[in-house]
Amino acid sequence: MIEVDVVDGVGVVRLAHGRVNALDVELCRAIERTMRELDDPEGPVRAVVLTGTGRVFSAGVDLKRVVAGGAPYVAEFLPALGGAFRSVFDLGKPVVAAVNGHAIAGGCVLAAACDRRIMALGTGRIGVPELRVGVPFPAPALEIMRFALGPVRARQVIFDGANHEPDAALALGLVDELIDPDALVDEAVAVAGRTATDIPADTFRHTKAQLRQEVNERLDRVTEPGTVELWTRAATDGRIQAFLDRTVGSRGQ
């Protein structure tokens, strides 16, 4: 489900869950557990790289599980999803996303939660089509996108709901750098390692917490009954299934 290798003191966290690293309860909990462990200031890892397998970083939420599970699954899943996002966002060491391919919806949010995002050139796309699916953003996802892009660009990207090719993603600020796929992970490890070397660990952790303080204060106060209700409605009224039928059908699968 998750593979962790340590390269020159950098923990390379690789999502390896099915064909497309779809975010379900189990993967979300594994992400949070892994990131919390790597965040240990006394641990051997001084920085983190988050990447996927094959041609997919993460295709986002496992919508089939949401439809099949209905209200009980939604009630369990949304907190797990928020925990995964926040564990990446709050990790007090340098975190670099090595976006090896498609990073859609929750996959895009995971990348946005990182301190730097490097994307492979190629056919992978990145974006947040949640509203086109018919579900709202959970608060952690919304706050992370606003933090990563700024309020104006976040609004544009969220309401547009498009998935973007690498060049467009770079122009929008969804990623910071494009690189040849064969060099992606090595470059991400080098960037993460340089940051950890150039900035004392305690100074980096303190400054990162300062930058995120207002976001985390808002998230610590928020309750989301309306979000849960809308996700539950979307799971049971056919809108998510209709989205799946359209997208899967358009790929001929």
Side-chain angles (χ1 to χ4, degrees), residues 32-235:
E32 180 172 11
R33 183 171 58 252
T34 300
M35 292 300 176
R36 300 299 184 200
E37 291 171 355
L38 292 174
D39 196 27
D40 180 2
E42 305 302 322
V45 167
R46 58 198 182 102
V48 173
V49 167
L50 178 61
T51 192
T53 50
R55 295 183 297 172
V56 179
F57 181 78
S58 171
V61 172
D62 188 339
L63 294 174
K64 292 181 180 179
R65 286 280 301 275
V66 173
V67 171
Y73 184 79
V74 169
E76 184 180 17
F77 172 69
L78 287 181
L81 181 66
F85 290 154
R86 293 192 71 176
S87 71
V88 178
F89 187 66
D90 291 341
L91 203 152
K93 302 174 183 181
V95 185
V96 176
V99 184
N100 55 297
H102 297 306
I104 308 302
C108 179
V109 176
L110 275 179
C114 298
D115 302 310
R116 186 169 179 83
R117 299 171 291 280
I118 305 173
M119 187 174 189
L121 288 162
T123 59
R125 294 191 174 196
I126 184 170
V128 281
E130 277 84 345
L131 301 191
R132 296 189 182 195
V133 178
V135 295
F137 278 69
L142 192 65
E143 291 284 0
I144 286 168
M145 294 305 299
R146 186 157 47 198
F147 182 89
L149 296 178
V152 173
R153 186 55 57 83
R155 171 178 54 78
Q156 293 169 344
V157 168
I158 287 168
F159 282 126
D160 177 62
N163 294 318
H164 305 278
E165 295 183 356
D167 286 341
L170 180 65
L172 287 167
L174 286 166
V175 297
D176 301 302
E177 180 182 350
L178 304 178
I179 196 167
D180 185 271
D182 292 336
L184 175 66
V185 174
D186 287 345
E187 175 64 12
V189 168
V191 169
R194 280 198 304 271
T195 304
T197 298
D198 293 345
I199 303 173
D202 54 358
T203 299
F204 184 90
R205 180 178 292 273
H206 180 75
T207 303
K208 188 168 178 176
Q210 286 180 307
L211 288 169
R212 286 157 169 73
Q213 181 176 346
E214 291 183 5
V215 171
N216 282 322
E217 286 176 350
R218 287 196 296 271
L219 288 175
D220 289 342
R221 293 192 303 267
V222 74
T223 58
E224 298 197 86
T227 301
V228 174
E229 179 184 349
L230 284 170
W231 272 75
T232 300
R233 185 184 305 169

